[in-house]
Amino acid sequence: MKTLETEVIIIGGGATGCGVLRDCTLRGMKAVLIEKNDIASGTTGRNHGLLHSGARYAVKDLESATECIKENRILKKIAWHCIEPTGGLFVTLPEDDPTYHNRLLESCKFAGIDAKEISVKKALAIEPNLNPAILSAIWVPDGTIDPFRLASANILDSVEQGALVFTHTEVQRIMLKQNQVVGVQCFDNVSREYFEVYAPVIVNASGVWGQHICATAGIDLKMFPSKGSMVIIDYRINNVVVNRCRVPSDGDIIVPGDTVSLIGTTSRKVSYDSIDELVVDDDEIDILLADGEKLIPNVSKTRVLRAYCGVRPLVAVSGELDGREISRGIVLIDHKERDNVQGLITIAGGKLMTYRLMAQMATDLVAKKIGNTKSCVTHKIPLPGSEKRVGYTKKIKYFSGIPNSVVGSTHYRHGERVHNILSLQKRNYGLICECEMVTLGEVEYAIKNLKVKDLVDLRRRTRIGMGPCQGELCAYRAAGLFTEFGEFTPDTSTKLLKDFLEERFKGMKPVLWGDGLREFEFTYWIYQGLFGLGLVEEEEK
Amino acid sequence: MIKLENISFDHCIKCTVCTIYCPVARVTHLYPGPKQSGPDTERLRIKNPELLDISLKYCSNCKRCEIACPSDVKIADIIQTAKWRYSKKEFRIRDFLLSRTDLMGTFGTLFAPVVNFFTHLGIVKYFLDLVFKIPKGRTFPNYASMTFKKWFKETRKYQNKYLEKVVYFHGCYVNYNYPQLGKDVVKVLNALGKGVIITKEKCCGVPLIANGYIKKAQEHGRHNIKVLSKALPDEKTKIVSASSSCSLALKHEYANLLELDNSPIAHNIAYITQYVLEEFENGNIPKLKPLTYTVAYHSPCHLERMGNVAFTIELLRKIPGLTVKILHSECCGISGTYGFKNEYYAISQAVGNELFKIIEEANPDFVVTDCETCKWQIEMNTKYRVVHPISLLAEAIE
């Protein structure tokens, strides 16, 4: 059995785990990250991608609001290529409590968020598709953030500086020697091999799945998972984040995310056993669309691409069972103090927004444990891609000869790394994904540099298959490239293709009507009728 | 952020049949095709106008993509709108002049013999090519020395004698270049017992749209809607046009592309062959003498877009003795002012090649088509004369 030794093991490749890996690496520690699926495949990649200004929490949870606005400002500096500083609006509908407007303004002022009241006319000028019946509007420095890019950029930086990352690798158990952790036993789901990693410190950053990880070390840590569902619509119906000015509840936010818009979110308690098989309920979709339409009437005329859900990890710190004492903020547990297990740290709770802060807190504790005295620099050093801030116009000029839509989209996704991707060779910028302008060069770059092991991973790195056609025209092209650029046989590529289409189908199934259904029928015809891939029969089994 | 009202791109299911039927994409790799330039990249342009691909300028607006689309996506409209909505307009004298058919026509007819002489001179063509980037291979239509409007003044008093009336939108070509077609229209309508009304119309706006002068086109549109609706004596009276592109503009482009309210006239507009055929079907058939020609009929793209080709073909079949060979539907390539520009000239010619070939194969006495610019293109590239179906009908009327 393969074994390796390191200083820190991080379990979980969500934003927090990736952040911890980068923080450890930047402080000169040797670190290994193990993720059972793919980077940002859990809760990190299953939210609405809102770059919080903190205003959503300002009234109820001042601490979170203050954290948010602080991290908002940092992320805009270190990760601009994962962010669009669109700005956001809080709008009051005629049926909403009008006093919340002033409460929000006051709370924002208290939390240090630059929120300002604007006229309805101005709000409609900023966002012409908004419901014209709104009564009042507040502008806040909200934005959008791409969690896939963010996590991937953290990984890329760490790997380039010597960290090791194993994706599609499950931690079987935490190995203990008396009360001291010594390492983890892993199983590689792709090569089907067991191996062991040894280290004196382990960071459990596996979010809601942390309950299971702790259990393998004999520790009882209860998670209270809560499901949040969202729907994605075909194109960008709004250009700034639109929030409903009321106590946060279901279906009250529409976030523009790259080329699409997302309507969020619901909140439902679910059992821990069901977290790997969550599905979006029909009534959740009804709520989201009905409430979304109240904010932006165009919602009802627009194609719904998919529906998906994520699971929020709420932690019961001292083993409560009724959930009343559950903390909603950041939870950092030194298991030496809580359970007398030396070397194990759990970092959980919090938000995507505060991933860096959470990583810093966890890494501070790691550093203390292994005697590293360097201080955190993740708030100062930009992520790969965000080194230099250059606008579209300049990049389009630099790559003249390549279509603007391709240069702009690639630059949007990879920032300065666009120079590692695009070249003036015709084949390089040939389109693989026609909806999101993913080129052959981008696929090659992702397969070779960004820990891509299957088509779903490739989607998270590039946006392949995330446009209106949901993989109809790009999936088979991209599958072929795995054989060319990765170590895949044609047979495994075909399997990747099938898995990918099934994954796409899962998100489309709850919203199959209208144009989405027509498109799906066409996709089915191509892959089943023309290629005989057996997609739907398998799904039904 | 723009207000999203025209969102037909959302219905595209990426079947790509539009690109298969695109005559431009077939002959050049410079144009990525209607799917890519239209619905695909529209999503990106909504996100950020800077993502506009300049390659969409190669769209000739023939609208064959819209005919092919099974999802009713207004592909050509999306592309035309994107041209002016998202791109910075550079002023070009050539485009200005080509799109001002009224202005050029007024000047052209004033000095018709001189202008016609010069526009056919090799040295002048060479100069136009060099300075204005107008291809030297292109033949210009001649200007008439007397406009249709001027001729009509003399006949106006006779027209008032008819009880039933038809409003005739003659268009710039008839007025400035080929009044004979207008005279033929008047002859045919009179033979059906209808008096003709003409209005103080302006250019329909098609060349303005093609060259990106949308505000000016809207201005013309508003004017035309006003004068035409005023000229209608009652709701039932028809407005006819013998130009396929003018009719398309009045009926479709005004509402879909220029976002104008054309409801006061939309239901009255009929392409001339449809109107005449309907009269024929109602028993109002003038005496027709046999014409023993063999003609090849070419269906113009814009007439196909309106769904009016069948009416023209049916009408031609009503002419006794006439043998009509229907050509396979192909774009001639000129697309209005598109073929008058150096950067598109080669594409325009390449698109037309297929049509020229099948015309030669059909070897008719002459070609029949409804569109004036198709006529220029076919006459320039084949040895055949091109006749409008109404002129042919006028010839058959004794």
Side-chain angles (χ1 to χ4, degrees):
Chain A
M1 185 161 37
K2 196 170 76 172
T3 59
L4 56 113
E5 256 177 70
T6 184
E7 285 181 296
V8 193
I9 296 168
I10 297 133
I11 305 172
T16 313
C18 297
V20 175
L21 181 73
R22 179 172 189 245
D23 205 338
C24 287
T25 312
L26 289 182
R27 293 194 209 188
M29 297 178 228
K30 272 173 74 183
V32 170
L33 183 141
I34 297 154
E35 160 60 44
K36 72 165 177 165
N37 192 338
D38 179 34
I39 298 156
S41 60
T43 307
T44 296
R46 306 190 145 266
N47 54 69
H48 43 40
L50 172 67
L51 182 81
H52 278 278
S53 59
R56 271 178 87 78
Y57 302 116
V59 175
K60 242 172 108 182
D61 182 353
L62 192 68
E63 197 191 335
S64 291
T66 326
E67 277 169 9
C68 277
I69 188 64
K70 219 176 131 198
E71 288 298 311
N72 176 310
R73 285 171 191 144
I74 293 172
L75 290 177
K76 276 178 186 166
K77 269 186 239 150
I78 65 153
W80 70 262
H81 82 286
C82 311
I83 284 169
E84 254 190 273
T86 57
L89 293 170
F90 273 81
V91 297
T92 310
L93 292 176
E95 65 206 77
D96 295 337
D97 172 14
T99 61
Y100 193 80
H101 176 88
N102 281 339
R103 273 164 69 202
L104 183 67
L105 272 177
E106 270 165 40
S107 307
C108 282
K109 204 170 151 192
F110 204 67
I113 303 162
D114 334 307
K116 57 173 190 262
E117 184 172 4
I118 59 170
S119 67
V120 170
K121 203 175 144 193
K122 195 163 173 207
L124 286 166
I126 294 172
E127 192 50 74
N129 300 310
L130 208 56
N131 183 350
I134 58 165
L135 301 177
S136 62
I138 298 172
W139 189 91
V140 293
D142 275 350
T144 74
I145 183 160
D146 188 300
F148 304 120
R149 255 163 251 168
L150 183 69
S152 174
N154 273 284
I155 292 285
L156 184 61
D157 201 19
S158 313
V159 169
E160 283 177 348
Q161 306 197 37
L164 288 176
V165 174
F166 297 94
T167 58
H168 298 277
T169 301
E170 256 175 84
V171 168
Q172 299 284 310
R173 62 187 186 91
I174 292 176
M175 297 183 290
L176 293 167
K177 208 172 216 176
Q178 274 128 22
N179 288 333
Q180 164 69 44
V181 299
V182 289
V184 292
Q185 194 184 62
C186 312
F187 179 67
D188 185 328
N189 274 322
V190 179
S191 67
R192 317 292 300 166
E193 277 168 11
Y194 286 95
F195 65 99
E196 284 172 357
V197 188
Y198 296 101
V201 180
I202 296 173
V203 179
N204 170 23
S206 50
V208 73
W209 292 270
Q211 177 175 332
H212 164 74
I213 295 291
C214 280
T216 69
I219 295 167
D220 183 35
L221 181 70
K222 271 265 172 308
M223 293 284 171
F224 288 87
S226 138
K227 178 179 72 162
S229 298
M230 285 139 276
V231 296
I232 307 178
I233 49 184
D234 184 20
Y235 58 94
R236 209 160 150 148
I237 52 165
N238 54 327
N239 219 19
V240 303
V241 178
V242 178
N243 297 276
R244 198 156 156 189
C245 195
R246 66 172 187 197
V247 181
S249 102
D250 287 357
D252 62 358
I253 182 166
I254 305 181
V255 184
D258 206 331
T259 54
V260 296
S261 284
L262 300 101
I263 309 174
T265 330
T266 58
S267 179
R268 280 177 190 187
K269 288 264 172 310
V270 289
S271 74
Y272 188 81
D273 310 328
S274 68
I275 56 171
D276 285 320
E277 281 119 30
L278 288 178
V279 285
V280 183
D281 301 324
D282 286 349
D283 62 319
E284 287 182 294
I285 292 168
D286 292 343
I287 291 170
L288 291 171
L289 291 178
D291 281 327
E293 192 184 349
K294 287 179 191 164
L295 289 172
I296 297 180
N298 259 23
V299 164
S300 61
K301 288 187 265 172
T302 306
R303 186 196 308 199
V304 182
L305 285 187
R306 22 190 326 114
Y308 65 103
C309 55
V311 47
R312 303 178 187 87
L314 303 177
V315 193
V317 185
S318 39
E320 312 86 339
L321 285 175
D322 59 355
R324 262 182 301 149
E325 303 287 313
I326 295 172
S327 164
R328 277 159 201 274
I330 300 169
V331 175
L332 176 69
I333 303 169
D334 184 345
H335 288 282
K336 187 193 166 211
E337 273 151 37
R338 185 181 180 268
D339 309 285
N340 196 26
V341 174
Q342 180 74 265
L344 183 64
I345 298 165
T346 290
I347 177 82
K351 299 158 196 68
L352 176 63
M353 270 312 282
T354 55
Y355 92 94
R356 195 208 59 81
L357 179 64
M358 292 164 74
Q360 181 180 350
M361 289 161 67
T363 312
D364 282 346
L365 190 55
V366 173
K368 211 172 101 191
K369 282 189 187 292
I370 62 172
N372 180 306
T373 51
K374 288 195 183 136
S375 53
C376 177
V377 286
T378 53
H379 55 294
K380 286 189 232 157
I381 302 179
L383 286 163
S386 283
E387 299 91 347
K388 231 176 8 176
R389 192 179 205 132
V390 186
Y392 276 137
T393 323
K394 247 185 159 169
K395 278 284 172 272
I396 283 169
K397 221 169 164 185
Y398 182 89
F399 287 106
S400 78
I402 303 178
N404 297 357
S405 57
V406 168
V407 179
S409 302
T410 316
H411 179 235
Y412 180 88
R413 287 192 284 266
H414 300 277
E416 274 302 295
R417 291 289 165 119
V418 65
H419 293 280
N420 301 31
I421 298 171
L422 285 180
S423 82
L424 284 170
Q425 278 174 308
K426 263 220 161 103
R427 185 156 190 262
N428 167 281
Y429 62 87
L431 285 182
I432 302 300
C433 167
E434 299 172 43
C435 303
E436 300 290 335
M437 303 288 142
V438 181
T439 59
L440 182 131
E442 190 175 343
V443 172
E444 177 181 359
Y445 171 78
I447 293 178
K448 289 182 176 167
N449 300 290
L450 300 180
K451 301 268 164 206
V452 167
K453 291 196 176 166
D454 57 35
L455 269 161
V456 185
D457 297 359
L458 184 67
R459 169 182 73 78
R460 295 194 187 96
R461 308 295 185 279
T462 62
R463 280 191 77 77
I464 236 173
M466 285 169 106
C469 90
Q470 293 288 304
E472 172 191 295
L473 296 181
C474 54
Y476 63 87
R477 296 175 188 159
L481 294 176
F482 274 80
T483 314
E484 185 174 343
F485 300 127
E487 289 155 4
F488 294 86
T489 63
D491 278 349
T492 45
S493 291
T494 309
K495 191 180 173 304
L496 299 186
L497 176 60
K498 208 165 128 184
D499 292 347
F500 179 65
L501 291 169
E502 272 167 16
E503 184 264 352
R504 291 286 84 189
F505 180 60
K506 205 180 151 201
M508 280 144 64
K509 207 156 79 174
V511 291
L512 272 188
W513 62 73
D515 291 320
L517 177 60
R518 290 173 59 241
E519 182 105 47
F520 170 75
E521 285 283 341
F522 187 51
T523 310
Y524 176 79
W525 175 77
I526 291 177
Y527 287 98
Q528 174 66 359
L530 207 59
F531 296 167
L533 207 59
L535 161 71
V536 173
E537 283 94 322
E538 289 283 325
E539 187 67 42
E540 278 166 1
K541 269 179 212 166
Chain B
M1 188 73 181
I2 49 155
K3 194 159 170 70
L4 291 164
E5 277 157 346
N6 192 353
I7 48 171
S8 75
F9 70 89
D10 192 27
H11 305 310
C12 172
I13 60 162
K14 320 287 166 202
C15 69
T16 322
V17 70
C18 54
T19 301
I20 301 294
Y21 277 89
C22 175
V24 176
R26 196 189 301 164
V27 299
T28 176
H29 292 296
L30 294 170
Y31 183 54
K35 168 180 161 288
Q36 178 92 72
S37 304
D40 277 4
T41 40
E42 183 70 0
R43 290 174 70 247
L44 303 177
R45 293 188 286 265
I46 289 170
K47 174 182 141 192
N48 186 337
E50 280 189 81
L51 299 177
L52 176 96
D53 285 332
I54 39 168
S55 59
L56 60 69
K57 69 182 181 188
Y58 288 103
C59 167
S60 71
N61 198 24
C62 71
K63 296 195 185 282
R64 282 181 178 257
C65 47
E66 291 185 4
I67 304 167
C69 180
S71 307
D72 201 21
V73 180
K74 307 280 186 292
I75 310 165
D77 289 353
I78 294 169
I79 297 171
Q80 294 305 309
T81 312
K83 268 190 203 170
W84 60 268
R85 184 170 279 162
Y86 302 113
S87 65
K88 279 175 225 138
K89 181 82 195 133
E90 308 167 26
F91 180 77
R92 276 187 121 157
I93 294 187
R94 178 197 65 190
D95 296 357
F96 178 84
L97 293 177
L98 283 177
S99 61
R100 262 48 172 205
T101 46
D102 284 325
L103 185 76
M104 296 302 286
T106 312
F107 173 80
T109 44
L110 262 179
F111 309 101
V114 186
V115 171
N116 294 344
F117 173 74
F118 274 105
T119 51
H120 288 86
L121 269 187
I123 180 102
V124 174
K125 284 187 168 186
Y126 186 76
F127 171 79
L128 288 174
D129 191 317
L130 207 67
V131 178
F132 288 110
K133 311 285 176 221
I134 295 175
K136 54 180 179 286
R138 170 64 59 202
T139 315
F140 284 85
N142 277 333
Y143 283 101
S145 39
M146 188 201 238
T147 63
F148 172 72
K149 269 184 182 157
K150 207 167 168 195
W151 172 85
F152 190 81
K153 269 183 193 160
E154 295 162 24
T155 173
R156 193 184 296 268
K157 52 182 179 291
Y158 300 108
Q159 300 303 323
N160 289 337
K161 288 177 187 160
Y162 293 93
L163 274 178
E164 286 178 55
K165 299 272 169 46
V166 172
V167 178
Y168 173 40
F169 187 92
H170 51 74
C172 303
Y173 171 67
V174 161
N175 194 31
Y176 302 115
N177 302 92
Y178 195 58
Q180 186 53 44
L181 175 56
K183 295 174 193 171
D184 292 340
V185 170
V186 173
K187 182 180 173 189
V188 168
L189 291 173
N190 286 168
L192 294 171
K194 315 285 175 187
V196 176
I197 302 172
I198 70 165
T199 61
K200 283 197 172 147
E201 61 174 56
K202 282 186 177 174
C203 163
C204 66
V206 165
L208 291 166
I209 295 167
N211 289 284
Y213 294 98
I214 297 298
K215 286 234 166 74
K216 191 82 189 162
Q218 284 171 325
E219 201 181 286
H220 281 210
R222 267 183 230 111
H223 172 88
N224 287 336
I225 294 169
K226 204 173 84 186
V227 296
L228 289 172
S229 57
K230 255 191 186 168
L232 289 173
D234 57 60
E235 276 175 25
K236 278 183 188 164
T237 305
K238 292 288 178 196
I239 300 167
V240 298
S241 163
S243 160
S244 41
S245 296
C246 293
S247 319
L248 182 77
L250 296 172
K251 210 171 167 86
H252 295 281
E253 309 275 62
Y254 281 6
N256 297 339
L257 217 152
L258 299 179
E259 290 160 7
L260 299 174
D261 175 23
N262 68 347
S263 58
I265 57 166
H267 294 293
N268 303 78
I269 297 160
Y271 180 67
I272 185 112
T273 56
Q274 181 179 2
Y275 176 75
V276 173
L277 188 72
E278 274 166 14
E279 287 296 317
F280 278 25
E281 301 286 322
N282 292 333
N284 183 10
I285 309 176
K287 205 171 169 220
L288 299 174
K289 69 175 180 213
L291 300 177
T292 53
Y293 305 124
T294 299
V295 300
Y297 176 67
H298 159 66
S299 48
C301 302
H302 284 178
L303 196 70
E304 288 198 13
R305 177 68 185 94
M306 280 193 296
N308 271 27
V309 171
F311 297 106
T312 298
I313 292 173
E314 227 20 64
L315 188 66
L316 289 173
R317 285 190 175 141
K318 299 274 180 201
I319 300 175
L322 194 71
T323 309
V324 186
K325 287 184 178 174
I326 297 160
L327 298 172
H328 185 259
S329 169
E330 295 283 349
C331 177
C332 76
I334 193 170
S335 292
T337 58
Y338 188 83
F340 282 84
K341 297 175 180 176
N342 264 359
E343 60 270 35
Y344 311 127
Y345 182 65
I347 296 172
S348 161
Q349 290 296 99
V351 167
N353 264 337
E354 196 56 35
L355 176 68
F356 310 149
K357 220 168 68 195
I358 58 173
I359 290 175
E360 304 285 351
E361 278 163 17
N363 193 23
D365 293 330
F366 51 87
V367 178
V368 173
T369 195
D370 308 76
C371 169
E372 56 270 23
T373 61
C374 294
K375 172 183 158 86
W376 305 339
Q377 178 81 335
I378 295 167
E379 288 185 341
M380 185 179 110
N381 288 288
T382 68
K383 55 180 192 280
Y384 299 98
R385 188 161 65 89
V386 181
V387 176
H388 194 281
I390 291 300
S391 295
L392 206 56
L393 186 65
E395 194 185 330
I397 293 171
E398 305 211 14

